[in-house]
Amino acid sequence: MMAKTGVFDGGPAARAAELKRELQRLVMTIVDREDEGDDDVSSVGTIDRAMETMCVLKELKKCKGGGGGGGCLKVTLTCPEEFRCPISKELMRDPVILATGQTYDRPFIQRWLKEGHRTCPQTQQVLSHTLLVPNLLVREMISQWCKTRGIQLPDPVQYSNEDGLTEADREYFLSLLNKMSSTLSDQKEAAKELRCLTKRIPSFRQLFGESLYAIPQLLTPLSQPQTQSDNCDTHPDLQEDVITTLLNLSIHDNNKKFVAETPMVISLLMDALRSGTIETRSNAAAALFTLSALDSNKALIGKSGALKPLIELLEEGHPLAMKDVASAIFNLCIIHENRARAVREGAVRVILEKILNGVHIDELLAILAILSSNPKAVEEMGEFGGVPCLLGIIRDSTCARNKENGIAILHTICFSDRNTWKAMREEENKYQTISQLAKNGTSRAKRKASGILERLNRAVNLTHTA
């Protein structure tokens, strides 16, 4: 009887020795039959078994030499092509069916999907969903094929679902999404549950990326024209739960792009900035902040007009929303075109007013620093009293970062608007604010302060010469 050619008892050396003995026996059988002129089907079968044994021995040698460890227990055999995973090219242990009908080994297609792909590796079709259905027929065929050859395959349960979700979890998730198109009471119940699940269980955030229709289903109560205003006014808790679920989804890195690009998401977040509970408004700002981590999303959000309601909420000044709003504006203004948009929407005036009132100085000063690359922003800083405000921060603040941002903004203003030189000279003569920073500030602050002093001194010398 042929020795088992798959999984053996004992260590790699014992398995290799048994394989060699089996190969030797098979080769001798082939030679003897050739000498006897026997070329029947059984002789051909013996040759196939010999080739199979050689393949197993070769794979075992690779594992032994490459430190494969547990990989040696998964020796790849010369199996029918339909039993091989199209991705790994290995015998499938846990075959599953993708949305396109193609079958893959679960661990390899899971890895493909977790890398952010939303297409079938074989057909390149866009997937309508990424739920994986066990292919029981192929599994049974592989099992029978292995059984006839003495090969033992790991039980499918050993291939645990990497996201930690069961099929029951997925079915429950789909049932919740279906409720979002049902009665108002079902919508409220499902929205609250989805909010909780996406907050507590990261795997549920991933589920939204497995279907093109999951987010549109989530948004159904808010996106229906005939009921949108009623739901927002009469049922603010429903809006709050939906918007907060979007925030939870946006935290997951692989979700950021498709969440932002899903139709209605940005416009509904903008609606939420203007209406609903203060928690809804704050969470809408936080969602825009997390989504804007991607540069492509920064451009998309900026073009959608989201800076206007963000600046309006900033001006309103509710303490619960301020930090999220400031973070969102800062992130969006990292790209040049959004800075011009923010200035057009009145960001400079609003920010200076908040800074003068001592509100979130750190965050708002950072935004002002990034806006200072815009000529119109610099002009408005001069008009709205930015120079004395910044000089006061540099003089009184104990935060090195704030001093640095303040002097960097003043440096830009100084070189753009000569009308500000007088205020700077008076500050320097009275408090030596700029000179102190040139000596004791951060390296960047020292450079900017020294540049301003040089400019002011040159202006004084020119005046005396004249």
Side-chain angles (χ1 to χ4, degrees), residues 262-286:
T262 298
M264 296 297 293
V265 165
I266 303 302
S267 61
L268 287 175
L269 288 174
M270 289 167 58
D271 289 341
L273 288 172
R274 298 186 175 101
S275 64
T277 67
I278 188 60
E279 185 173 354
T280 298
R281 304 173 75 188
S282 177
N283 287 346

Side-chain angles (χ1 to χ4, degrees), residues 79-98 100-106 108-109 112 120-124 135 138 142:
C79 64
E81 187 65 28
E82 59 268 26
F83 294 169
R84 292 177 180 269
C85 173
I87 297 175
S88 69
K89 308 303 181 185
E90 297 176 358
L91 182 66
M92 290 187 285
R93 271 69 166 180
D94 189 7
V96 292
I97 304 172
L98 199 58
T100 56
Q102 305 299 316
T103 296
Y104 299 89
D105 203 1
R106 185 184 294 274
F108 296 96
I109 191 62
W112 168 268
C120 174
Q122 282 189 289
T123 67
Q124 300 304 310
N135 193 328
V138 171
I142 292 174

Side-chain angles (χ1 to χ4, degrees), residues 63-235:
C63 288
K64 184 177 179 182
C72 295
L73 297 177
K74 303 173 185 175
V75 180
T76 301
L77 305 175
T78 306
C79 64
E81 187 65 28
E82 59 268 26
F83 294 169
R84 292 177 180 269
C85 173
I87 297 175
S88 69
K89 308 303 181 185
E90 297 176 358
L91 182 66
M92 290 187 285
R93 271 69 166 180
D94 189 7
V96 292
I97 304 172
L98 199 58
T100 56
Q102 305 299 316
T103 296
Y104 299 89
D105 203 1
R106 185 184 294 274
F108 296 96
I109 191 62
Q110 279 183 335
R111 186 184 308 161
W112 168 268
L113 295 173
K114 285 183 180 297
E115 289 172 353
H117 300 289
R118 288 295 177 268
T119 57
C120 174
Q122 282 189 289
T123 67
Q124 300 304 310
Q125 287 178 259
V126 176
L127 302 175
S128 60
H129 64 80
T130 56
L131 298 176
L132 303 176
V133 180
N135 193 328
L136 300 179
L137 176 61
V138 171
R139 168 71 190 177
E140 180 60 25
M141 292 170 64
I142 292 174
S143 178
Q144 289 296 324
W145 184 85
C146 292
K147 186 176 180 180
T148 61
R149 289 160 176 77
I151 304 165
Q152 296 175 349
L153 281 176
D155 191 275
V157 299
Q158 296 181 18
Y159 287 83
S160 60
N161 193 332
E162 291 182 21
D163 57 21
L165 295 175
T166 65
E167 289 305 314
D169 292 328
R170 294 170 184 273
E171 290 175 5
Y172 181 52
F173 168 72
L174 293 175
S175 73
L176 291 174
L177 288 181
N178 288 332
K179 284 186 176 181
M180 298 302 288
S181 301
S182 185
T183 64
L184 177 61
S185 60
D186 280 347
Q187 290 176 345
K188 294 173 72 173
E189 177 188 344
K192 188 171 294 294
E193 181 68 359
L194 286 168
R195 173 180 178 174
C196 292
L197 289 172
T198 52
K199 177 182 179 180
R200 293 187 289 105
I201 307 174
S203 300
F204 269 88
R205 300 172 199 157
Q206 300 175 30
L207 282 177
F208 277 87
E210 294 184 358
S211 171
L212 296 175
Y213 311 108
I215 293 180
Q217 283 182 278
L218 170 70
L219 300 178
T220 300
L222 305 184
S223 59
Q224 294 174 343
Q226 68 274 20
T227 62
Q228 181 177 344
S229 60
D230 292 339
N231 278 338
C232 292
D233 295 337
T234 311
H235 307 288

